[in-house]
Amino acid sequence: MAAGLRGMTAPAGEGVRVSAGEIARFVREVLHGVGLPEADAARIGELIAEADVIGADAHGVFRLPQYVRRIQAGGVNVAPQIVVETTGPATAIVDGDNGMGHLVVSRAADTAVALARNAGVGWVGVRRSNHAGPAALYAAMPVAAGMIGLYSAVASANHMAPWGGVEPLLGTNPIAVGIPLGDAPPFVLDIATTVVSYGTIKNHVLQGKPFPPGWLVSKRDGAPVTDPARVADGLLNAIGGYKGSGLAIMLGLLAGTLNGAAFGRDVVDFNADAASETNTGHFVVAIDIARFIAPEVFAREAQRHLDDLRTSEPLPEGGPVRMPGDMRAQRRAERLEKGVPLSRSLMDQLSGLAAAMAVAPPRLA
C-alpha cells in the first residue's frame, strides 16, 4: 500500500475523502516543488480544489500528476511573463507565454470583467496557454462580479472526428455559461461538445471501469467501445450527432484560430507529448447585466423562470427536473462539509507523487 494510504479505514475498493483545503495545500506544495512561484502555485491550488468541490472530478487534483510530468519535461513555463494587449474598448488578447492555463485564463477573466465595467462587454482571447481545468471555473469568474460569463477553449487533445469522418481532428471543445441570480446559487452550464469529456474517460481507465455504450466508438467499424483497455481504439461521440461536431468546429475557430492558437491538425496531444508547447487557445466573455436591465430585476425574473421549469411536471419516474447549476451548488456544499471523494487508485497516484516530491500526501477528511 502506498505511504499516503496507510491507516485508512475505508473498506477495500471504496474511495476516501479529502478536504478542499488539503487538496489546495498539496497542489501548492507540489507545484512550488517543481519550480512555480509560491503565489502562483497557491492560486492554482485554489482553482484545482474548487474544481473538485464543484464535482469536476476529471479536471481537479486528478490532473496534477500530468501537470507535473509536463512541467518536468519542459512543456510548461513555470515563470511566464503573461502579456495582456488591449485591442479596443471591449477587446483584448492575452499571451500566456506557455504558462499554466489556470493562471493565464484567470488573467483573461479578470481582464474581461475590467473591460465590461467600462464598455458593457469584454471579450478576451487567449493564445499560448495550457490546459486550465473545467470550463465552469472561468464562466463563474464574471459571475462573482455580478456579470454574465462565457468561456470556451480548444481542448488539449483531439479525440473526436468531424461528422462523417474517422480521423481525430476535433477536441471536446467545451462551452460554459455562468449567470448570476442574486443571493441564490448561479446558473452554470458547463458542457463538452462530446458526449463525455476525455478526462472522464481517463478516470474510468485509471479505475478499470467499463465505458457505457455511446461514449466511444471504434475507429474501424463504428461499434461501441466499452473496454477501458481498448481506449486507444475509440473516438469520442459528438453530442447531438452532426450538431455537436459543428459546435466543436465553431468553438475551435473562435478560441483557437481567432487568437492565433492551435486548432485541428495543429493541436498537440498533451497526453502523448509532455515536452512540446501546446499553444492552447481560450476565450472569456463578460457581460454587464446593468447595461440591459437592473441586475436585481434580472435576478428575480430569471429565478422565477428557472423555478417554473424546476416545478414543471416531470416524466413518470423521471424527475426531478433540474437546472444547470443545481447539482453544482448541492455538491459544493456537501463536499465542503464532508470532503472531496477520491478513488483509491487516484490516492495511490497522489501518494506516489508526494513521495517523489518529498511532501506530505493529502490527509483524509
Side-chain angles (χ1 to χ4, degrees):
M1 182 177 290
L5 299 181
R6 294 193 184 102
M8 291 183 177
T9 57
E14 291 187 7
V16 296
R17 286 190 179 254
V18 175
S19 72
E22 263 300 285
I23 290 174
R25 187 275 306 168
F26 181 64
V27 173
R28 181 188 73 243
E29 292 184 1
V30 167
L31 292 182
H32 185 47
V34 291
L36 270 75
E38 189 162 13
D40 288 351
R43 176 59 174 155
I44 296 167
E46 292 169 359
L47 291 171
I48 285 178
E50 178 67 9
D52 281 317
V53 164
I54 63 176
D57 297 334
H59 292 290
V61 73
F62 171 81
R63 295 280 183 168
L64 184 61
Q66 183 180 25
Y67 294 152
V68 169
R69 285 194 298 274
R70 284 193 52 77
I71 291 168
Q72 291 177 328
V76 177
N77 184 358
V78 296
Q81 299 299 310
I82 301 171
V83 176
V84 179
E85 179 187 358
T86 302
T87 57
T91 56
I93 187 80
V94 174
D95 187 315
D97 194 24
N98 196 32
M100 287 288 288
H102 303 73
L103 302 175
V104 179
V105 185
S106 292
R107 181 74 66 85
D110 291 343
T111 303
V113 168
L115 290 171
R117 286 198 176 105
N118 179 60
V121 63
W123 182 300
V124 180
V126 177
R127 65 169 66 101
R128 299 189 65 213
S129 181
N130 282 284
H131 187 273
L137 286 180
Y138 307 104
M141 287 181 180
V143 170
M147 299 182 183
I148 293 170
L150 292 85
Y151 167 83
S152 186
V154 179
S156 298
N158 288 335
H159 296 291
M160 177 170 64
W163 188 250
V166 296
E167 193 173 354
L169 293 174
L170 297 174
T172 58
N173 300 359
I175 180 71
V177 181
I179 300 176
L181 298 172
D183 295 332
F187 173 104
V188 181
L189 174 70
D190 178 357
I191 58 171
T193 47
T194 48
V195 171
V196 67
S197 75
Y198 198 72
T200 302
I201 296 290
K202 292 175 69 174
N203 206 356
H204 272 62
V205 172
L206 178 64
Q207 299 180 58
K209 294 169 59 177
F211 310 125
W215 283 14
L216 287 168
V217 293
S218 169
K219 298 174 185 176
R220 295 190 299 272
D221 57 14
V225 174
T226 59
D227 182 355
R230 292 185 55 216
V231 65
D233 299 335
L235 292 167
L236 287 174
N237 268 325
I239 57 171
Y242 69 90
K243 296 179 182 179
S245 177
L247 282 172
I249 294 168
M250 178 269 291
L251 294 171
L253 292 171
L254 294 180
T257 308
L258 184 63
N259 301 323
F263 175 54
R265 293 191 192 278
D266 297 338
V267 169
V268 174
D269 184 345
F270 81 149
N271 301 294
D273 182 345
S276 297
E277 181 174 336
T278 62
N279 189 18
T280 301
H282 319 250
F283 68 78
V284 183
V285 181
I287 301 169
D288 185 359
I289 294 169
R291 302 299 181 105
F292 301 88
I293 188 173
E296 63 276 12
V297 173
F298 174 78
R300 183 179 66 247
E301 286 299 289
Q303 189 65 266
R304 179 172 68 85
H305 290 302
L306 292 172
D307 285 343
D308 283 346
L309 297 171
R310 285 188 188 93
T311 57
S312 63
E313 184 176 356
L315 285 167
E317 301 182 7
V321 177
R322 294 190 291 127
M323 295 296 103
D326 287 355
M327 289 301 297
R328 178 181 185 270
Q330 294 172 25
R331 192 179 294 115
R332 190 174 192 278
E334 188 265 345
R335 291 186 175 192
L336 285 175
E337 178 185 356
K338 299 180 180 179
V340 174
L342 302 179
S343 69
R344 288 296 191 108
S345 49
L346 176 55
M347 281 298 296
D348 281 335
Q349 280 199 353
L350 299 181
S351 295
L353 181 60
M357 299 299 303
V359 302
R363 290 176 283 267
L364 301 189

